[in-house]
């Protein structure tokens, strides 16, 4: 799906127009790149805890904070990218824009017609894990949910 976004971005630049769609794709591509990079850094640090336990024990607070920061940054960015807020710049809104924009369709009709169903199928597959991601964001990252922080204190 992301190769398709890059294809559109490159073609919009060649045509020299469609600044809104071009900016949209650049923004989402950047967000996806950062989210993926942060998650990969989290995995590297998490997996390194066994191999480099002595080094990590020298500054355990730093490594714990760094590991959590990478994971939380990745989770928050993914929530933004797939947000259901209609005012937000999201993957779903981009696909809708590509499908409904008549100027874009005139230039790339065959490519859009063939690619959008595949993109939407991938989006449906991704959406299966989004409720867990939103729950993580809402319960501990973006809000101080009393159910999460103080399980028994407010029961």
């Amino acid at each position: 799906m992301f190769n398709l976004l890059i294809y559109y971005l490159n073609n919009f630049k060649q045509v020299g127009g469609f600044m809104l769609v071009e900016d949209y794709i650049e923004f989402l591509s950047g967000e996806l790149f950062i989210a993926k990079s942060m998650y990969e850094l989290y995995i590297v640090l998490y997996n390194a805890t066994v191999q480099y336990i002595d080094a990590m024990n020298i500054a355990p607070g730093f490594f714990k904070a760094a590991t959590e920061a990478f994971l939380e940054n990745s989770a928050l960015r993914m929530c933004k990218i797939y947000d259901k807020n209609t005012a937000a710049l999201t993957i779903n809104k981009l696909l809708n824009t590509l499908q409904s924009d008549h100027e874009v369709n005139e230039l790339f009709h065959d490519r859009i017609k063939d690619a959008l169903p595949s993109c939407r199928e991938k989006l449906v597959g991704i959406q299966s894990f989004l409720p867990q991601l939103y729950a993580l964001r809402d319960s501990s990252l973006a809000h101080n949910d009393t159910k999460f922080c103080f399980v028994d204190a407010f029961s």
Side-chain angles (χ1 to χ4, degrees), residues 16-154:
F18 309 106
M19 187 56 75
L20 177 63
V21 175
E22 182 180 325
D23 289 348
Y24 210 148
I25 293 171
E26 281 188 19
F27 172 77
L28 288 174
S29 296
E31 287 291 308
L32 286 166
F33 175 78
I34 294 169
K36 183 178 184 225
S37 298
M38 291 291 130
Y39 186 72
E40 288 172 352
L41 287 168
Y42 162 75
I43 294 297
V44 167
L45 270 181
Y46 182 83
N47 289 337
T49 56
V50 174
Q51 187 175 1
Y52 300 105
I53 191 71
D54 293 336
M56 290 187 165
N57 280 335
I58 294 170
F62 168 78
F63 285 105
K64 180 166 176 39
T67 304
E68 287 179 4
F70 290 140
L71 181 61
E72 290 172 2
N73 187 303
S74 178
L76 287 171
R77 285 181 189 276
M78 292 301 289
C79 286
K80 285 190 331 183
I81 292 165
Y82 294 102
D83 198 349
K84 292 182 180 178
N85 179 349
T86 57
L89 300 176
T90 65
I91 294 284
N92 196 39
K93 190 171 183 179
L94 173 63
L95 295 177
N96 290 340
T97 300
L98 290 173
Q99 185 172 0
S100 64
D101 189 308
H102 297 294
E103 291 183 69
V104 174
N105 267 311
E106 283 182 29
L107 287 173
F108 306 107
H109 176 74
D110 292 337
R111 186 84 176 174
I112 291 172
K113 184 182 73 165
D114 295 340
L116 279 178
S118 168
C119 289
R120 292 210 187 274
E121 283 178 29
K122 290 178 183 178
L123 192 58
V124 168
I126 291 168
Q127 288 176 341
S128 65
F129 78 86
L130 290 178
Q132 295 166 322
L133 199 56
Y134 292 141
L136 172 67
R137 175 197 64 190
D138 294 343
S139 65
S140 63
L141 299 178
H143 310 288
N144 290 325
D145 190 337
T146 56
K147 291 179 188 175
F148 182 80
C149 296
F150 309 105
V151 175
D152 294 324
F154 296 100

